[in-house]
């Protein structure tokens, strides 16, 4: 079916959905707009699917969501007993999130799969916890994470509480492709409730147990008892799902002065106070820093709409507020956990930490000192979850901490995705520990740099929108594979890791790396520097990562990082 046939079919299908119908009517004479909505379907990958809200097969709407839910249901039904185990369904504060979540639950019910639907918005980590806590066969969160307000998504989880593994996502994709959009109707809500195929989940079933679990992951509760009552912390949920759970665990831990940014406290699908609700962007801290100055707070915490990412902004040595990178937060929390457990004599001999391949090499230096094995995984927290599962099944290692440079962290095993509630509590706890020692988190960061070296990383995204963008991304990656650079910014390329072929090549010899295939190129440079190019799995863009270090100067490290990022960026033009 060509794009115009698809367009006409959707005009008929959207007759009962006024917003979608009006959008389609409005582009009747715009061939390019029609093609953009119908030239391809939203891809369903290991993170589910994500896209701009609107009409068409390349948009997030009630029909694409129903079809994804139906495909998930059919995939689950291939294993006996999954219908009864069911699927936990949660959602965040985005446009149509509540609608899409209910439609997901009712489509599952229509295909005989029980759905556990949360009664209001919940964070990603609560959903991941719920899958394991309730023993469901899968989970779904309706969210587009930290994307701008015009996006939404369908994020799918396996029975281990981690995002779907590649082979599981492929099976769901196969089922989705067998289905027609018009054949994925939901069951009526009253019927689903009456037949026991829909159960609404409130606080009693999951939230209290999740909060107790999060509190159990503290490593210095004594420091919080001593300092938490006086420490002032500013927190912003950025209009999202973190508001209640983050405040709850901080209060239960003993923090009595958690000041919430009032303009960003309540759910707002337009995220009207920020360009995008992304804690990676220093601009989202503007209102939080203003409140912190007024209240005399030294730490500002921010979580994204689905509360799987945490950003931190804190006072530096001159009293100015500085936004930390995801790598800095990850290394601070890693060092906090390892140093405290060593001091207490509870650091296991088989301890393991996990990071993504594009995260800082500083983590390796920290783990080496404490005798902890550091594992690298591909980008995507599902790979952290897979390692945790492997550790538990084999008994080979004890998981201690995992992180990604994109502001995702986890220190427990009962959640298998990024957990900003857990990370918020650890960051607040670290502030208490540092204060007890007569310093600040910023002081701790400088101590780490002085001990291990000054590591600086950067990430840059280049947008490639539309049908032409996808082709340009593919062409660019092919060019870099066919003709890789011999040096980047004057730094010799020592080895090339091609995660698509699975080979690491050095000096003309290649060896397998043992990773799942992924469209990623990683350049190992002299002096421990590196650069990495990776198409985004959720957005039409390419991401460029670089990292470098200097043994004794932050300024020299930053200047070297600037030059490296500039030189690496020229590869993408």
């Amino acid at each position: 079916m060509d794009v115009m046939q698809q367009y006409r079919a959707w005009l008929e299908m959207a007759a009962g959905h006024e917003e979608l119908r009006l959008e389609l009517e409005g582009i009747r004479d715009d061939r390019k707009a029609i093609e953009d909505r119908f030239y391809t379907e939203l891809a369903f990958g290991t993170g589910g699917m994500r896209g701009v809200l609107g009409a068409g097969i390349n948009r997030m709407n009630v029909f694409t969501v129903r079809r994804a839910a139906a495909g998930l249901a059919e995939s689950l039904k291939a294993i006996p007993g999954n219908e009864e185990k069911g699927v936990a369904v949660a959602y965040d504060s985005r446009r149509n999130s509540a609608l899409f979540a209910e439609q997901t639950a009712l489509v599952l019910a229509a295909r005989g799969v029980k759905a556990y639907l949360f009664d209001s918005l919940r964070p990603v980590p609560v959903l991941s916890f719920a899958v394991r806590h309730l023993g469901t066969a899968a989970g779904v969160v309706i969210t587009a994470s930290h994307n701008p307000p015009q996006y939404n998504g369908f994020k799918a989880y396996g029975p281990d509480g981690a995002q779907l593994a590649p082979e599981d996502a492929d099976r769901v994709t196969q089922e989705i492709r067998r289905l027609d959009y018009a054949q994925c109707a939901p069951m009526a809500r009253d019927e689903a409730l009456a037949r026991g195929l829909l159960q609404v989940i409130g606080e009693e079933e999951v939230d209290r147990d999740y909060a107790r679990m999060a509190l159990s992951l503290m490593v210095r509760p004594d420091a919080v008892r001593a300092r938490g009552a006086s420490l002032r912390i500013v927190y912003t949920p950025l209009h999202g799902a973190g508001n209640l759970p983050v405040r709850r665990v901080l209060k239960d831990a003993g923090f009595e002065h958690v000041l919430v940014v009032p303009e960003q406290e309540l759910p707002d699908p337009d995220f009207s106070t920020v360009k995008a609700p992304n804690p990676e962007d220093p601009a989202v801290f503007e209102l939080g820093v203003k409140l912190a100055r007024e209240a005399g707070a030294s730490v500002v915490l921010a979580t994204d709409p689905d509360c799987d990412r945490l950003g931190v902004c804190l006072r530096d040595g001159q009293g100015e507020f500085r936004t930390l990178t995801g790598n800095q937060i990850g290394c601070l929390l890693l060092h906090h956990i390892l140093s405290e457990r060593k001091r207490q004599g509870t650091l296991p001999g088989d301890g393991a930490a996990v990071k993504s391949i594009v995260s800082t090499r500083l983590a390796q230096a920290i783990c080496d000192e404490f005798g902890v094995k550091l594992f690298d995984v591909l980008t995507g927290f599902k790979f952290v979850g897979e390692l945790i599962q492997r550790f538990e099944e084999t008994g080979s290692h004890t998981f201690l901490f995992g992180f990604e440079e994109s502001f995702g962290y986890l220190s427990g095993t009962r959640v298998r995705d990024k957990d900003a509630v857990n990370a918020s509590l650890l960051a607040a706890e670290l502030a208490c520990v540092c204060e007890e020692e007569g310093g600040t988190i910023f002081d701790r960061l400088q101590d780490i740099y002085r001990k291990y070296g000054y590591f600086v990383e950067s990430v840059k995204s280049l947008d490639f929108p539309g049908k032409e963008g996808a082709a340009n991304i593919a062409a660019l990656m092919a060019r870099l594979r066919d003709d890789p650079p011999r040096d980047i910014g004057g730094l010799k390329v020592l080895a090339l890791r091609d995660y698509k072929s699975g080979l690491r090549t050095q000096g003309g010899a290649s060896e397998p790396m043992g990773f799942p295939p992924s469209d990623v190129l990683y350049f190992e440079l002299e002096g421990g520097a590196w650069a990495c190019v990776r198409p985004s799995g959720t957005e039409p863009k390419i991401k460029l990562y670089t990292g470098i270090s200097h043994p004794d100067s932050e300024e020299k490290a930053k200047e070297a990082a600037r030059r490296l990022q500039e030189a690496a960026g020229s590869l993408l033009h």
Side-chain angles (χ1 to χ4, degrees):
M1 192 182 298
D2 66 20
V3 294
M4 293 310 298
Q5 290 174 313
Q6 289 268 23
Y7 170 73
R8 287 189 287 270
W10 272 65
L11 262 177
E12 293 182 19
M13 196 166 62
H17 300 266
E18 190 66 5
E19 187 174 347
L20 297 180
R21 186 190 67 79
L22 288 173
E23 179 183 341
L24 291 170
E25 290 283 3
I27 62 171
R28 183 181 292 274
D29 300 319
D30 189 340
R31 173 78 187 201
K32 186 174 181 180
I34 292 173
E35 185 175 76
D36 187 48
R37 288 162 175 78
F38 291 98
Y39 81 91
T40 188
E41 293 181 330
L42 279 182
F44 190 99
T46 54
M49 65 182 189
R50 187 182 303 182
V52 174
L53 291 158
I57 63 175
N58 191 31
R59 295 288 189 271
M60 281 292 298
N61 53 66
V62 68
F63 297 109
T64 53
V65 167
R66 286 176 179 175
R67 189 169 179 244
L72 176 62
E74 294 306 309
S75 175
L76 292 174
K77 287 162 65 176
I79 301 176
N82 274 351
E83 296 100 315
E84 292 75 24
K85 289 181 180 178
V87 179
V89 182
Y91 60 95
D92 70 1
S93 58
R94 288 183 172 271
R95 297 171 186 167
N96 293 334
S97 282
L99 169 65
F100 291 167
E102 182 176 69
Q103 291 292 296
T104 296
L106 295 177
V107 167
L108 290 166
R111 292 176 179 264
V113 178
K114 184 171 183 177
Y116 295 86
L117 177 64
F118 279 96
D119 62 355
S120 61
L121 67 167
R122 294 296 198 285
V124 155
V126 171
L127 182 281
S128 176
F129 176 84
V131 169
R132 300 176 62 79
H133 191 63
L134 299 174
T136 63
V140 172
V141 183
I142 304 298
T143 178
S145 191
H146 57 294
N147 283 80
Q150 64 267 30
Y151 282 82
N152 211 328
F154 181 105
K155 193 182 289 188
Y157 291 76
D160 61 347
Q163 292 181 44
L164 291 182
E167 58 272 18
D168 296 323
D170 288 344
R171 281 192 287 270
V172 176
T173 297
Q174 291 172 10
E175 295 295 342
I176 290 173
R177 288 174 177 167
R178 294 190 181 103
L179 297 166
D180 186 270
Y181 289 96
Q183 298 174 340
C184 302
M187 181 179 285
R189 182 184 176 95
D190 288 346
E191 181 184 357
L193 287 167
R195 293 176 56 182
L197 288 166
L198 174 64
Q199 181 174 333
V200 178
I201 301 297
E203 182 181 3
E204 293 292 335
E205 290 87 351
V206 174
D207 296 74
R208 292 184 180 180
D209 289 328
Y210 170 81
R212 282 194 288 266
M213 180 278 301
L215 289 165
S216 73
L217 298 176
M218 298 171 66
V219 291
R220 281 294 306 277
D222 59 309
V224 175
R225 287 192 295 270
R227 301 282 177 170
S230 58
L231 184 71
R232 289 179 175 268
I233 296 173
V234 168
Y235 168 62
T236 172
L238 296 178
H239 308 290
N243 185 31
L244 296 181
V246 170
R247 292 169 69 178
R248 176 178 187 163
V249 298
L250 290 176
K251 180 180 178 182
D252 290 350
F255 294 96
E256 297 182 9
H257 297 286
V258 177
L259 310 171
V260 180
V261 178
E263 300 92 336
Q264 298 172 329
E265 177 180 1
L266 298 179
D268 173 9
D270 295 326
F271 308 115
S272 52
T273 63
V274 293
K275 182 178 180 181
N278 187 354
E280 299 178 49
D281 181 3
V284 305
F285 286 95
E286 182 177 343
L287 291 171
V289 168
K290 179 175 179 290
L291 179 58
R293 293 187 189 281
E294 294 170 353
S298 58
V299 178
V300 184
L301 307 176
T303 56
D304 63 343
D306 60 348
C307 197
D308 63 351
R309 284 174 166 84
L310 170 72
V312 178
C313 186
L314 46 79
R315 291 185 191 270
D316 63 17
Q318 286 71 49
E320 296 300 318
F321 278 90
R322 181 186 296 199
T323 305
L324 299 184
T325 69
N327 283 310
Q328 290 171 329
I329 299 168
C331 286
L332 279 164
L333 297 183
L334 173 66
H335 185 272
H336 171 56
I337 291 168
L338 301 189
S339 61
E340 287 299 335
R341 293 196 63 166
K342 181 177 181 180
R343 185 183 64 81
Q344 297 167 21
T346 60
L347 186 64
D350 62 354
V354 186
K355 73 172 184 68
S356 65
I357 59 173
V358 294
S359 297
T360 180
R361 290 186 174 183
L362 173 57
Q364 185 66 65
I366 294 171
C367 287
D368 286 346
E369 181 187 351
F370 291 98
V372 168
K373 173 71 173 176
L374 179 65
F375 290 81
D376 274 352
V377 294
L378 294 174
T379 301
F381 227 80
K382 58 185 167 290
F383 297 113
V384 179
E386 285 181 4
L387 265 187
I388 296 173
Q389 189 73 12
R390 189 193 309 170
F391 294 159
E392 291 185 345
E393 291 173 353
T394 64
S396 61
H397 294 85
T398 299
F399 175 77
L400 298 172
F401 188 69
F403 78 97
E404 290 185 327
E405 55 77 36
S406 55
F407 290 66
Y409 324 97
L410 179 69
S411 73
T413 60
R414 295 182 67 188
V415 168
R416 298 294 170 87
D417 204 347
K418 302 181 288 288
D419 188 344
V421 182
N422 165 215
S424 295
L425 182 55
L426 286 175
E429 177 185 71
L430 175 58
C432 289
V433 171
C434 292
E435 188 174 280
E436 195 171 63
E437 296 173 353
T440 65
I441 295 178
F442 181 79
D443 295 332
R444 175 67 64 89
L445 179 62
Q446 299 312 304
D447 289 343
I448 289 173
Y449 281 148
R450 281 189 289 269
K451 186 168 190 176
Y452 305 107
Y454 292 85
F455 288 72
V456 178
E457 298 78 26
S458 63
V459 57
K460 181 179 181 180
S461 295
L462 281 76
D463 293 322
F464 292 84
K467 183 178 180 180
E468 297 83 2
N472 290 337
I473 289 174
L476 193 155
M477 294 299 292
R479 175 172 59 81
L480 287 175
R481 284 190 168 88
D482 293 341
D483 186 22
R486 296 183 179 180
D487 72 89
I488 301 177
L491 297 174
K492 184 180 179 181
V493 176
L494 302 179
L496 171 62
R497 304 182 203 168
D498 185 346
Y499 288 89
K500 192 171 186 178
S501 68
L503 298 176
R504 178 181 181 273
T505 302
Q506 182 175 18
S510 298
E511 59 181 1
M513 296 183 291
F515 285 81
S518 184
D519 192 10
V520 179
L521 291 171
Y522 189 107
F523 303 92
E524 298 178 23
L525 308 176
E526 59 184 325
W530 57 275
C532 181
V533 181
R534 180 182 74 89
S536 171
T538 57
E539 301 170 82
K541 59 179 60 177
I542 279 186
K543 290 193 172 184
L544 170 66
Y545 306 83
T546 57
I548 200 165
S549 65
H550 192 280
D552 55 21
S553 171
E554 183 176 10
E555 291 308 313
K556 290 180 180 178
K558 286 182 176 179
E559 176 58 24
R562 184 194 63 76
R563 292 196 302 268
L564 176 59
Q565 175 66 224
E566 186 177 281
S570 66
L571 299 175
L572 305 184
H573 298 290

